[in-house]
Amino acid sequence: MIYGYLRISTKMQRPDRQIEGLKGLCDAFFVEVLSAVSAKRPIFEEIVQKLQRGDTFLVWDLDRVFRTTYDAIVYEKEFRRRGIKFKAMNMNIDTSTADGNHEYQSRAAAAEWERRKISERTIEGLVLARKRGSRLGRPPKITDEQVRDAKALIDSSDTTIKDAAASLKVHPWTLSRRMRALPPERTLHQ
């Protein structure tokens, strides 16, 4: 049996490039949606457990399956020991030869280096964005003005946080957290 494994980091990404590369080559393929740095990869681990002697484990690119050079080497050796073929479709390498094994390890190291460089550049970009005053992350579900209005309503009537949150279509915890974090209103002193 030929098992194809595809990984994308977020639901915003699409596996089209990998699907196109593996289409027609696999008996079954599986898509995992999680970051390369995730400690657990349930779909990957499930496929590795299913693999039997004579099966093939197929990926489009090394960086879609292995996080580090060490991972790539360890799994390649395990697959070879278990009689499982391993192929990365964008590279035509025979790891049973000394030259092929060297090329495989070199490309695995390059994939790890590339992942680390992307991470470094992302962090640098975030630091610069913060320095420029950009707000990072998901936008707030409710504005400060809505929070102040809800707080005033709660303080001046028998409206509960739960009722006020429901009217704003947010969870009560969201409203109470935002109320605690709300900066005090500035008043003009004359």
Side-chain angles (χ1 to χ4, degrees), residues 81-177:
R81 181 187 58 76
R82 290 173 52 194
I84 297 162
K85 295 177 187 122
F86 170 72
K87 291 183 181 177
M89 292 311 297
N90 70 341
M91 37 190 269
N92 187 18
I93 296 174
D94 179 1
T95 57
S96 66
T97 68
D99 289 342
N101 198 34
H102 178 266
E103 179 69 19
Y104 173 79
Q105 290 178 15
S106 296
R107 292 216 187 160
E112 179 181 358
W113 172 82
E114 182 180 5
R115 185 179 62 76
R116 288 183 175 200
K117 288 302 288 182
I118 288 169
S119 180
E120 286 175 5
R121 287 191 299 265
T122 300
I123 290 168
E124 289 169 359
L126 291 172
V127 167
L128 290 173
R130 283 188 190 104
K131 282 183 180 177
R132 287 191 309 268
S134 297
R135 186 188 188 311
L136 303 175
R138 186 170 50 193
K141 292 184 176 185
I142 52 179
T143 66
D144 286 351
E145 184 179 342
Q146 289 172 308
V147 175
R148 282 191 186 90
D149 291 345
K151 183 173 179 359
L153 184 64
I154 292 166
D155 291 346
S156 67
S157 69
D158 60 352
T159 303
T160 65
I161 287 181
K162 184 177 179 180
D163 293 336
S167 72
L168 292 170
K169 296 184 174 116
V170 296
H171 193 276
W173 182 84
T174 300
L175 179 57
S176 63
R177 180 178 45 84

Side-chain angles (χ1 to χ4, degrees), residues 41 65-77 104:
R41 296 181 293 166
V65 67
F66 301 123
R67 295 174 283 237
T68 65
T69 309
Y70 177 80
D71 282 348
I73 293 168
V74 166
Y75 277 104
E76 189 276 329
K77 283 183 179 182
Y104 173 79

Side-chain angles (χ1 to χ4, degrees), residues 11-121:
K11 291 182 180 182
M12 301 285 291
Q13 293 179 332
R14 297 187 47 90
D16 298 350
R17 177 180 65 96
Q18 296 175 67
I19 290 171
E20 192 61 36
L22 300 182
K23 194 187 318 180
L25 301 175
C26 307
D27 297 315
F29 63 82
F30 304 85
V31 178
E32 188 147 54
V33 181
L34 51 81
S35 169
V37 296
S38 298
K40 294 277 187 192
R41 296 181 293 166
I43 293 174
F44 171 77
E45 292 162 9
E46 180 183 332
I47 295 170
V48 170
Q49 291 298 319
K50 282 183 182 181
L51 290 168
Q52 297 177 4
R53 182 171 295 281
D55 286 344
T56 300
F57 183 65
L58 194 61
V59 298
W60 177 248
D61 201 350
L62 286 179
D63 69 349
R64 299 289 85 203
V65 67
F66 301 123
R67 295 174 283 237
T68 65
T69 309
Y70 177 80
D71 282 348
I73 293 168
V74 166
Y75 277 104
E76 189 276 329
K77 283 183 179 182
E78 179 185 340
F79 292 154
R80 196 167 359 124
R81 181 187 58 76
R82 290 173 52 194
I84 297 162
K85 295 177 187 122
F86 170 72
K87 291 183 181 177
M89 292 311 297
N90 70 341
M91 37 190 269
N92 187 18
I93 296 174
D94 179 1
T95 57
S96 66
T97 68
D99 289 342
N101 198 34
H102 178 266
E103 179 69 19
Y104 173 79
Q105 290 178 15
S106 296
R107 292 216 187 160
E112 179 181 358
W113 172 82
E114 182 180 5
R115 185 179 62 76
R116 288 183 175 200
K117 288 302 288 182
I118 288 169
S119 180
E120 286 175 5
R121 287 191 299 265

